[in-house]
Amino acid sequence: MSEAKPFPEEFFNAKTTASQTETLGVVIGGSLADGVLVRLNRQTVVEGLRVGSYIAAQGQTGRTFFGYISDVELSTFNAALVPPDESTLRRFAYEASALNKVVQVKLELVSENNELRTARSVPAHFAIVRRLTKAEAQRIFSSQESRSHRLGYLLDDKDVEVRLNLQQLTERSTGVFGRSGTGKTFLTLPLLASIIQHQVANVLVFDMHNDYGYNLKGDGNSQRPGLKRLSNIQDRVVVVTLDERSSMRRSSGYEIALKIGLDEIEPEDLETLRDVLGFNEAQISTIHVLPKLFNPERWIYVLAGRGTGEEKQRLAKLFDSGQLVESTFNAIQRKLNRLLNFEFITEKSTGAVDKVINYLSTNRSVVVEFGEFGRCTAAYVLVANLLTRRIHDTYVMLKEEAEAQGSDDSPHLVIVVEEAHRFLDPKVANLTTFGTIAREMRKYNVTLLIVDQRPSQIDREVMSQIGTRITFALSDEQDINAVVTGLRDSQRLRLMLASLDSKQQALVMGHAVKMPVLVRTLDYDQSVWRAYAHSLDRLTPEEQLAKSLQMIRPQVEADLL
Amino acid sequence: MEATHGQNASGVGEALNGRVIRSSIETFVFGTRVPEQATPACGSLVKVSAVNEKVTLIGVIYDIAVQENALTRMIARASSEDLRGEESALREQAFVEGSVLCLGYLDARGRARYTFPAQPPWLLDKVLNCEDDEIRRFTSNPRFLVPILRSRAIGLSYSRLIVATIERAASLHADRRAFIESCAEELARQLSDRPVELDDLLRELEVLYE
Ligand SMILES: Nc1ncnc2c1ncn2[C@@H]1O[C@H](COP(=O)(O)OP(=O)(O)O)[C@@H](O)[C@H]1O
Ligand SMILES: [Mg+2]
């Protein structure tokens, strides 16, 4: 007798939880490259199997293969079939014989001798295919490392947490992609909190929207704590601001006001603004030639229109002699005028940049708040590039020193940039330190966490160096391409991407996960921020008061001035 | 192997007790003298214990012919009351020929096999109704339907025979619906190239399924 169970109840009851381990079907063909074909049992409800659902195939030799459904196909052996109306018996009979429900399964992993490896073969014909058991799912998707971060849970199964091994994640650069409003920032902030809490790396955030320091603004008027308000890590977080007025208005304390001295700007820094300010080739070469025509420490003052009388005369002479094209020079000056007159640009270095670097090399993390200047792309690009260049130099030095001494405990740094394509655009990626960092990867212990809504505008080579990609919904075809091209199975990953809802659902793939995984990201709410906030609750009232005072002091001082 | 039950699931009042009068590998004919109410029914499974007693051949009755005898015409023509007594005697014990399609056999270990035995039943072998347990065992695999579908002897009336056979066997299975489903599934597989016939057949089975 067939193994048929009571019918039709089970037929209409979709079983969608991955916890069940019922048999789904058997392998009937396929290949490792294109995925194996699994003919579903009559009882298996096609609708309950979405693309991306995880499955296990039982091999013959005690191996278990793991993979995910990459496509679903219905077919019939019999085109002349008379379609049954409501009748259950005929439906049943056709289902059982003439109709074919086939899913394509991409195998990623194989468990042999209790170890998970990349699958390099396929199970035999008729290998039984089933859903993952809870234990298997946990083994694959939840890092058991203590230094891990809970990103969310399986889209398919709320009961299985997705935990990333932070060490692995920060070893290489990470990309967080998705269109605006999908949850990139809400995902990144707690991730950074974990990195800091577990001391996996120091973090430097270029916070152009003022989200990460004190208050993360949500939909409506909701506010959630930024890194500096998570008491567990706040001692290791330093907020610096470019825009003191904005910080005060937002009641957002800061340790230092970041000032950039004109003397700290180098021609390369201006060159990275090529796109943003629209410099042409002639203007770029002019910028590079200036330090040679003037004192290398003074060229920028001349360009900023703050040269001495003597320098102005020299400039006029250069124009006359044709060594400098006056119109070109004036055009550059015009383009830079607004930028170089921002309040955070000072005549001389105030040492703030050094302070930031010092923090970062002594186990602190830094959030650079841009305040209102976040709206000015040129300011954002200039400051982020300039700081990153200096920091990178420092880290290279530290690493080399450490190596010379035979130790390997020089600090690790993760640099977070929103709107990353501003720095990693193909036209500037080879100029900016961001491009360098992305390419040389972890050699100097500095990696990037780039947050961007336009991955298609990021240099391809840089993209190819990104270890882990966390991708929310994208609508632009080019952006989707950019995220999946160059990867094995790009076509399938594209389908998975296309299935994402518009918020809090992401496809995570790459270095830090064992196989591509669709994740429902964790709500960043009280239960989450409590995890980073144990200390305040445990403090005595006096200590709490002291802590609070410490947090608002900068603001109080500013008010007094 | 005398059938001793008075009742079996095929609903025939008396245990059939006939003798093979003609046989080939695929089909055979048995004769029996039975009262009207005990006439064998189409779709019933019958068995013949082969001579060597090793196997029990299983077949399904696909045709029944009630034979005339010397008196039949006379009585039919007669108008008088004289022959009344004869008539009831004749009706009581008419000679009936049943045609049986061989479906397979139960082997020496009692396993159902769905293929022809090596030899046909022999003349005057006893033909008995299958017992409930034998029917259950033999029909537990829907392959018992295959010889009916393939038989040249049955021809186009196979669908009626199939419905009758399934109907008779269904009542013996604990899970009647599951049994019908497994038959439907097999039929759908076997008749995939004949969708219209399949659909007709399944519609008939649906009546049993409800
Ligand atoms: N993990 C989350 N927890 C709670 N709310 C979220 C989460 N992710 C997204 N949201 C909601 O969606 C909005 C947009 O998220 P956000 O991270 O700012 O998007 P993005 O940075 O991609 O533009 C937030 O204001 C918030 O209301
Ligand atoms: Mg954002």
Side-chain angles (χ1 to χ4, degrees), chain A residues 418-469:
Chain A
E418 294 239 357
E419 307 257 356
H421 65 269
R422 303 275 183 213
F423 311 93
L424 297 168
D425 182 280
K427 275 172 272 165
V428 295
N430 56 341
L431 301 173
T432 65
T433 311
F434 289 102
T436 315
I437 295 173
R439 277 190 296 268
E440 73 195 8
M441 298 194 298
R442 51 192 158 152
K443 199 156 117 217
Y444 295 111
N445 283 350
V446 183
T447 54
L448 299 178
L449 194 162
I450 64 185
V451 180
D452 206 305
Q453 32 177 316
R454 300 307 314 272
S456 63
Q457 298 185 10
I458 293 176
D459 184 60
R460 275 181 141 210
E461 198 200 331
V462 170
M463 276 302 273
S464 72
Q465 298 294 350
I466 292 176
T468 307
R469 296 166 198 210

Short mmCIF file of all heavy atoms in Angstrom, two decimals, chain A residues 418-469:
data_model
loop_
_atom_site.label_atom_id
_atom_site.label_comp_id
_atom_site.label_asym_id
_atom_site.label_seq_id
_atom_site.Cartn_x
_atom_site.Cartn_y
_atom_site.Cartn_z
N GLU A 418 29.14 55.48 5.45
CA GLU A 418 27.86 55.47 4.75
C GLU A 418 28.10 56.14 3.39
O GLU A 418 29.06 56.87 3.22
CB GLU A 418 26.80 56.22 5.56
CG GLU A 418 26.45 55.53 6.88
CD GLU A 418 24.97 55.16 7.00
OE1 GLU A 418 24.18 55.48 6.09
OE2 GLU A 418 24.61 54.52 8.01
N GLU A 419 27.21 55.89 2.48
CA GLU A 419 27.36 56.45 1.13
C GLU A 419 28.75 56.15 0.59
O GLU A 419 29.44 57.02 0.06
CB GLU A 419 27.16 57.97 1.15
CG GLU A 419 25.88 58.40 1.80
CD GLU A 419 24.83 58.80 0.81
OE1 GLU A 419 25.12 58.83 -0.40
OE2 GLU A 419 23.69 59.06 1.24
N ALA A 420 29.13 54.92 0.74
CA ALA A 420 30.51 54.55 0.44
C ALA A 420 30.90 54.78 -1.01
O ALA A 420 32.07 54.95 -1.31
CB ALA A 420 30.73 53.08 0.81
N HIS A 421 29.92 54.80 -1.90
CA HIS A 421 30.33 54.96 -3.30
C HIS A 421 30.99 56.30 -3.56
O HIS A 421 31.69 56.47 -4.54
CB HIS A 421 29.14 54.74 -4.24
CG HIS A 421 28.06 55.76 -4.11
ND1 HIS A 421 26.99 55.64 -3.26
CD2 HIS A 421 27.91 56.94 -4.74
CE1 HIS A 421 26.21 56.69 -3.39
NE2 HIS A 421 26.74 57.50 -4.28
N ARG A 422 30.81 57.25 -2.64
CA ARG A 422 31.52 58.53 -2.78
C ARG A 422 33.03 58.35 -2.74
O ARG A 422 33.78 59.17 -3.24
CB ARG A 422 31.13 59.48 -1.64
CG ARG A 422 29.66 59.73 -1.54
CD ARG A 422 29.28 60.85 -2.47
NE ARG A 422 27.88 61.16 -2.33
CZ ARG A 422 27.13 61.57 -3.33
NH1 ARG A 422 27.66 61.75 -4.53
NH2 ARG A 422 25.87 61.84 -3.15
N PHE A 423 33.45 57.28 -2.06
CA PHE A 423 34.88 57.05 -1.90
C PHE A 423 35.38 55.93 -2.80
O PHE A 423 36.55 55.77 -3.02
CB PHE A 423 35.21 56.66 -0.47
CG PHE A 423 34.60 57.56 0.53
CD1 PHE A 423 33.37 57.27 1.09
CD2 PHE A 423 35.24 58.73 0.89
CE1 PHE A 423 32.79 58.12 2.00
CE2 PHE A 423 34.66 59.59 1.79
CZ PHE A 423 33.44 59.29 2.35
N LEU A 424 34.45 55.11 -3.23
CA LEU A 424 34.86 53.89 -3.91
C LEU A 424 34.33 53.84 -5.33
O LEU A 424 34.30 52.79 -5.95
CB LEU A 424 34.37 52.68 -3.10
CG LEU A 424 34.99 52.61 -1.70
CD1 LEU A 424 34.28 51.60 -0.84
CD2 LEU A 424 36.47 52.28 -1.79
N ASP A 425 33.93 54.97 -5.82
CA ASP A 425 33.54 55.12 -7.21
C ASP A 425 34.74 54.73 -8.07
O ASP A 425 35.88 55.00 -7.71
CB ASP A 425 33.18 56.60 -7.38
CG ASP A 425 32.70 56.87 -8.78
OD1 ASP A 425 33.58 57.01 -9.66
OD2 ASP A 425 31.49 56.97 -8.97
N PRO A 426 34.49 54.06 -9.19
CA PRO A 426 35.64 53.63 -10.01
C PRO A 426 36.62 54.77 -10.31
O PRO A 426 37.82 54.56 -10.43
CB PRO A 426 34.98 53.14 -11.30
CG PRO A 426 33.58 52.81 -10.94
CD PRO A 426 33.21 53.65 -9.76
N LYS A 427 36.10 55.98 -10.41
CA LYS A 427 36.98 57.09 -10.78
C LYS A 427 37.88 57.53 -9.63
O LYS A 427 38.95 58.08 -9.86
CB LYS A 427 36.14 58.29 -11.27
CG LYS A 427 35.81 58.16 -12.75
CD LYS A 427 34.84 59.22 -13.19
CE LYS A 427 33.44 58.72 -12.99
NZ LYS A 427 32.39 59.66 -13.04
N VAL A 428 37.44 57.31 -8.40
CA VAL A 428 38.27 57.77 -7.28
C VAL A 428 38.81 56.63 -6.43
O VAL A 428 39.67 56.85 -5.58
CB VAL A 428 37.51 58.77 -6.38
CG1 VAL A 428 37.20 60.04 -7.13
CG2 VAL A 428 36.26 58.14 -5.80
N ALA A 429 38.31 55.42 -6.67
CA ALA A 429 38.69 54.31 -5.78
C ALA A 429 40.20 54.10 -5.75
O ALA A 429 40.76 53.72 -4.73
CB ALA A 429 37.99 53.03 -6.22
N ASN A 430 40.85 54.35 -6.87
CA ASN A 430 42.30 54.13 -6.86
C ASN A 430 43.05 55.30 -6.23
O ASN A 430 44.24 55.25 -6.03
CB ASN A 430 42.80 53.83 -8.27
CG ASN A 430 42.42 54.94 -9.23
OD1 ASN A 430 41.52 55.72 -8.93
ND2 ASN A 430 43.11 55.02 -10.34
N LEU A 431 42.32 56.38 -5.94
CA LEU A 431 42.96 57.55 -5.32
C LEU A 431 42.81 57.53 -3.81
O LEU A 431 43.67 57.97 -3.08
CB LEU A 431 42.32 58.83 -5.84
CG LEU A 431 42.38 59.08 -7.33
CD1 LEU A 431 41.54 60.29 -7.69
CD2 LEU A 431 43.82 59.27 -7.75
N THR A 432 41.65 57.04 -3.36
CA THR A 432 41.36 57.18 -1.95
C THR A 432 41.97 56.04 -1.14
O THR A 432 42.19 54.94 -1.65
CB THR A 432 39.85 57.17 -1.68
OG1 THR A 432 39.33 55.90 -2.03
CG2 THR A 432 39.15 58.24 -2.49
N THR A 433 42.21 56.37 0.10
CA THR A 433 42.74 55.35 0.99
C THR A 433 41.71 54.24 1.18
O THR A 433 42.06 53.10 1.43
CB THR A 433 43.07 55.98 2.35
OG1 THR A 433 43.82 57.15 2.11
CG2 THR A 433 43.87 55.04 3.20
N PHE A 434 40.44 54.60 1.03
CA PHE A 434 39.41 53.57 1.14
C PHE A 434 39.63 52.48 0.10
O PHE A 434 39.52 51.30 0.39
CB PHE A 434 38.02 54.17 0.97
CG PHE A 434 37.61 55.02 2.12
CD1 PHE A 434 37.67 56.40 2.06
CD2 PHE A 434 37.17 54.43 3.30
CE1 PHE A 434 37.31 57.17 3.13
CE2 PHE A 434 36.80 55.20 4.38
CZ PHE A 434 36.86 56.59 4.30
N GLY A 435 39.97 52.94 -1.10
CA GLY A 435 40.26 51.97 -2.15
C GLY A 435 41.44 51.11 -1.76
O GLY A 435 41.42 49.88 -1.91
N THR A 436 42.46 51.73 -1.22
CA THR A 436 43.65 50.99 -0.81
C THR A 436 43.29 49.96 0.26
O THR A 436 43.69 48.80 0.19
CB THR A 436 44.70 51.96 -0.21
OG1 THR A 436 44.78 53.09 -1.08
CG2 THR A 436 46.03 51.29 -0.05
N ILE A 437 42.52 50.41 1.24
CA ILE A 437 42.17 49.50 2.34
C ILE A 437 41.37 48.31 1.80
O ILE A 437 41.63 47.16 2.14
CB ILE A 437 41.35 50.23 3.42
CG1 ILE A 437 42.22 51.30 4.07
CG2 ILE A 437 40.84 49.25 4.45
CD1 ILE A 437 41.46 52.18 5.02
N ALA A 438 40.42 48.64 0.96
CA ALA A 438 39.58 47.56 0.43
C ALA A 438 40.44 46.55 -0.32
O ALA A 438 40.22 45.36 -0.23
CB ALA A 438 38.51 48.13 -0.49
N ARG A 439 41.41 47.05 -1.04
CA ARG A 439 42.22 46.14 -1.85
C ARG A 439 43.24 45.36 -1.04
O ARG A 439 43.43 44.17 -1.26
CB ARG A 439 42.92 46.92 -2.97
CG ARG A 439 42.02 47.13 -4.17
CD ARG A 439 42.80 47.68 -5.33
NE ARG A 439 43.32 49.00 -5.00
CZ ARG A 439 42.65 50.13 -5.28
NH1 ARG A 439 41.49 50.06 -5.88
NH2 ARG A 439 43.14 51.29 -4.96
N GLU A 440 43.90 46.04 -0.11
CA GLU A 440 44.94 45.28 0.59
C GLU A 440 44.36 44.47 1.74
O GLU A 440 45.06 43.73 2.41
CB GLU A 440 46.04 46.21 1.09
CG GLU A 440 45.65 47.07 2.26
CD GLU A 440 46.63 48.21 2.47
OE1 GLU A 440 47.52 48.40 1.60
OE2 GLU A 440 46.52 48.89 3.49
N MET A 441 43.07 44.60 1.94
CA MET A 441 42.35 43.79 2.91
C MET A 441 42.95 43.89 4.30
O MET A 441 43.22 44.96 4.78
CB MET A 441 42.27 42.36 2.43
CG MET A 441 41.52 42.26 1.13
SD MET A 441 41.07 40.59 0.74
CE MET A 441 42.67 39.83 0.60
N ARG A 442 43.16 42.75 4.89
CA ARG A 442 43.45 42.80 6.32
C ARG A 442 44.93 42.91 6.63
O ARG A 442 45.33 42.79 7.76
CB ARG A 442 42.90 41.55 6.96
CG ARG A 442 43.38 40.32 6.21
CD ARG A 442 42.62 39.12 6.65
NE ARG A 442 42.69 38.11 5.62
CZ ARG A 442 42.62 36.82 5.84
NH1 ARG A 442 42.46 36.40 7.05
NH2 ARG A 442 42.71 35.98 4.85
N LYS A 443 45.71 43.14 5.58
CA LYS A 443 47.15 43.11 5.78
C LYS A 443 47.56 44.00 6.95
O LYS A 443 48.42 43.64 7.74
CB LYS A 443 47.83 43.57 4.49
CG LYS A 443 49.26 43.17 4.39
CD LYS A 443 49.72 43.10 2.94
CE LYS A 443 50.80 44.12 2.67
NZ LYS A 443 50.68 44.73 1.34
N TYR A 444 46.94 45.17 7.02
CA TYR A 444 47.35 46.10 8.06
C TYR A 444 46.29 46.23 9.16
O TYR A 444 46.21 47.24 9.84
CB TYR A 444 47.67 47.46 7.46
CG TYR A 444 48.87 47.39 6.56
CD1 TYR A 444 48.76 47.54 5.20
CD2 TYR A 444 50.14 47.11 7.10
CE1 TYR A 444 49.86 47.44 4.37
CE2 TYR A 444 51.25 46.99 6.28
CZ TYR A 444 51.11 47.17 4.92
OH TYR A 444 52.20 47.05 4.12
N ASN A 445 45.48 45.22 9.29
CA ASN A 445 44.48 45.22 10.37
C ASN A 445 43.42 46.29 10.23
O ASN A 445 42.80 46.66 11.22
CB ASN A 445 45.15 45.39 11.73
CG ASN A 445 45.80 44.10 12.18
OD1 ASN A 445 45.59 43.07 11.57
ND2 ASN A 445 46.56 44.18 13.25
N VAL A 446 43.26 46.83 9.05
CA VAL A 446 42.20 47.81 8.86
C VAL A 446 41.23 47.26 7.81
O VAL A 446 41.66 46.87 6.73
CB VAL A 446 42.73 49.16 8.37
CG1 VAL A 446 41.59 50.17 8.26
CG2 VAL A 446 43.81 49.68 9.31
N THR A 447 39.97 47.18 8.16
CA THR A 447 38.99 46.76 7.16
C THR A 447 37.84 47.76 7.13
O THR A 447 37.71 48.59 8.04
CB THR A 447 38.45 45.35 7.45
OG1 THR A 447 37.95 45.30 8.78
CG2 THR A 447 39.51 44.30 7.26
N LEU A 448 37.06 47.67 6.09
CA LEU A 448 35.96 48.62 5.93
C LEU A 448 34.62 47.96 6.20
O LEU A 448 34.45 46.76 5.99
CB LEU A 448 35.91 49.13 4.48
CG LEU A 448 37.12 49.88 3.97
CD1 LEU A 448 36.89 50.26 2.50
CD2 LEU A 448 37.35 51.13 4.80
N LEU A 449 33.70 48.77 6.68
CA LEU A 449 32.31 48.33 6.68
C LEU A 449 31.59 49.41 5.89
O LEU A 449 31.43 50.54 6.36
CB LEU A 449 31.78 48.23 8.11
CG LEU A 449 30.46 47.47 8.28
CD1 LEU A 449 30.28 47.07 9.73
CD2 LEU A 449 29.26 48.25 7.82
N ILE A 450 31.25 49.09 4.66
CA ILE A 450 30.67 50.12 3.83
C ILE A 450 29.16 49.96 3.77
O ILE A 450 28.64 48.85 3.66
CB ILE A 450 31.29 50.14 2.42
CG1 ILE A 450 31.01 48.88 1.66
CG2 ILE A 450 32.78 50.35 2.49
CD1 ILE A 450 31.70 48.83 0.32
N VAL A 451 28.49 51.08 3.91
CA VAL A 451 27.03 51.07 3.90
C VAL A 451 26.62 51.89 2.70
O VAL A 451 27.05 53.03 2.56
CB VAL A 451 26.50 51.71 5.21
CG1 VAL A 451 24.98 51.69 5.22
CG2 VAL A 451 27.06 50.99 6.42
N ASP A 452 25.84 51.30 1.83
CA ASP A 452 25.57 52.04 0.59
C ASP A 452 24.26 51.60 -0.04
O ASP A 452 23.86 50.45 0.03
CB ASP A 452 26.70 51.81 -0.40
CG ASP A 452 26.81 52.97 -1.37
OD1 ASP A 452 25.81 53.30 -2.03
OD2 ASP A 452 27.90 53.55 -1.46
N GLN A 453 23.62 52.56 -0.68
CA GLN A 453 22.41 52.21 -1.40
C GLN A 453 22.65 52.05 -2.90
O GLN A 453 21.75 51.64 -3.61
CB GLN A 453 21.30 53.22 -1.15
CG GLN A 453 21.76 54.63 -0.93
CD GLN A 453 20.58 55.56 -0.76
OE1 GLN A 453 19.62 55.47 -1.50
NE2 GLN A 453 20.64 56.44 0.21
N ARG A 454 23.83 52.40 -3.34
CA ARG A 454 24.11 52.26 -4.77
C ARG A 454 25.34 51.40 -5.03
O ARG A 454 26.34 51.89 -5.55
CB ARG A 454 24.32 53.65 -5.41
CG ARG A 454 23.18 54.63 -5.32
CD ARG A 454 21.86 54.08 -5.84
NE ARG A 454 21.92 53.38 -7.12
CZ ARG A 454 21.80 53.96 -8.29
NH1 ARG A 454 21.63 55.25 -8.40
NH2 ARG A 454 21.84 53.25 -9.39
N PRO A 455 25.28 50.14 -4.71
CA PRO A 455 26.48 49.31 -4.91
C PRO A 455 27.00 49.31 -6.34
O PRO A 455 28.18 49.10 -6.57
CB PRO A 455 26.03 47.91 -4.48
CG PRO A 455 24.54 47.95 -4.39
CD PRO A 455 24.18 49.38 -4.12
N SER A 456 26.12 49.61 -7.30
CA SER A 456 26.59 49.59 -8.69
C SER A 456 27.61 50.70 -8.94
O SER A 456 28.34 50.67 -9.91
CB SER A 456 25.42 49.75 -9.64
OG SER A 456 24.79 50.99 -9.44
N GLN A 457 27.63 51.68 -8.04
CA GLN A 457 28.57 52.77 -8.28
C GLN A 457 29.90 52.57 -7.58
O GLN A 457 30.75 53.45 -7.55
CB GLN A 457 27.92 54.09 -7.85
CG GLN A 457 26.69 54.35 -8.69
CD GLN A 457 26.07 55.69 -8.42
OE1 GLN A 457 26.63 56.53 -7.72
NE2 GLN A 457 24.88 55.89 -8.96
N ILE A 458 30.04 51.42 -6.98
CA ILE A 458 31.29 51.13 -6.30
C ILE A 458 32.22 50.37 -7.26
O ILE A 458 31.78 49.51 -8.01
CB ILE A 458 31.03 50.31 -5.03
CG1 ILE A 458 30.28 51.17 -4.03
CG2 ILE A 458 32.33 49.79 -4.43
CD1 ILE A 458 29.86 50.46 -2.78
N ASP A 459 33.47 50.74 -7.19
CA ASP A 459 34.48 50.12 -8.04
C ASP A 459 34.39 48.60 -7.97
O ASP A 459 34.29 48.01 -6.90
CB ASP A 459 35.86 50.59 -7.56
CG ASP A 459 36.97 50.07 -8.43
OD1 ASP A 459 36.96 50.39 -9.63
OD2 ASP A 459 37.83 49.35 -7.90
N ARG A 460 34.44 47.96 -9.14
CA ARG A 460 34.25 46.51 -9.18
C ARG A 460 35.30 45.74 -8.43
O ARG A 460 35.03 44.75 -7.78
CB ARG A 460 34.30 46.05 -10.64
CG ARG A 460 32.96 46.18 -11.31
CD ARG A 460 33.09 45.69 -12.70
NE ARG A 460 31.89 44.96 -13.05
CZ ARG A 460 31.86 43.96 -13.91
NH1 ARG A 460 32.97 43.55 -14.47
NH2 ARG A 460 30.74 43.37 -14.20
N GLU A 461 36.52 46.21 -8.57
CA GLU A 461 37.57 45.47 -7.90
C GLU A 461 37.39 45.55 -6.39
O GLU A 461 37.60 44.58 -5.66
CB GLU A 461 38.94 46.02 -8.32
CG GLU A 461 40.05 45.05 -8.01
CD GLU A 461 41.39 45.73 -7.94
OE1 GLU A 461 41.57 46.75 -8.62
OE2 GLU A 461 42.25 45.22 -7.19
N VAL A 462 36.97 46.71 -5.95
CA VAL A 462 36.71 46.87 -4.52
C VAL A 462 35.58 45.93 -4.10
O VAL A 462 35.68 45.23 -3.09
CB VAL A 462 36.35 48.34 -4.20
CG1 VAL A 462 35.85 48.47 -2.78
CG2 VAL A 462 37.55 49.24 -4.45
N MET A 463 34.53 45.89 -4.89
CA MET A 463 33.42 45.00 -4.57
C MET A 463 33.90 43.56 -4.43
O MET A 463 33.47 42.82 -3.56
CB MET A 463 32.34 45.06 -5.67
CG MET A 463 31.34 46.18 -5.58
SD MET A 463 30.41 46.24 -4.06
CE MET A 463 29.04 45.15 -4.43
N SER A 464 34.80 43.20 -5.33
CA SER A 464 35.23 41.80 -5.32
C SER A 464 36.05 41.47 -4.07
O SER A 464 36.26 40.32 -3.74
CB SER A 464 36.02 41.48 -6.58
OG SER A 464 37.28 42.11 -6.52
N GLN A 465 36.51 42.50 -3.39
CA GLN A 465 37.31 42.26 -2.18
C GLN A 465 36.46 42.24 -0.92
O GLN A 465 36.96 42.00 0.17
CB GLN A 465 38.39 43.34 -2.03
CG GLN A 465 39.38 43.39 -3.16
CD GLN A 465 40.23 42.13 -3.22
OE1 GLN A 465 40.20 41.30 -2.31
NE2 GLN A 465 40.97 41.99 -4.30
N ILE A 466 35.19 42.53 -1.08
CA ILE A 466 34.35 42.55 0.10
C ILE A 466 34.07 41.13 0.57
O ILE A 466 33.63 40.30 -0.22
CB ILE A 466 33.03 43.30 -0.19
CG1 ILE A 466 33.35 44.76 -0.42
CG2 ILE A 466 32.04 43.12 0.94
CD1 ILE A 466 32.16 45.58 -0.81
N GLY A 467 34.36 40.88 1.82
CA GLY A 467 34.25 39.51 2.32
C GLY A 467 32.81 39.10 2.54
O GLY A 467 32.36 38.06 2.06
N THR A 468 32.08 39.92 3.26
CA THR A 468 30.71 39.55 3.61
C THR A 468 29.77 40.63 3.10
O THR A 468 30.01 41.81 3.29
CB THR A 468 30.57 39.43 5.14
OG1 THR A 468 31.58 38.54 5.61
CG2 THR A 468 29.21 38.90 5.51
N ARG A 469 28.73 40.19 2.43
CA ARG A 469 27.74 41.15 1.92
C ARG A 469 26.41 40.94 2.61
O ARG A 469 25.89 39.83 2.61
CB ARG A 469 27.53 40.95 0.43
CG ARG A 469 28.79 41.24 -0.35
CD ARG A 469 28.68 40.73 -1.76
NE ARG A 469 30.05 40.66 -2.25
CZ ARG A 469 30.41 40.82 -3.51
NH1 ARG A 469 29.49 41.00 -4.43
NH2 ARG A 469 31.67 40.77 -3.85
#
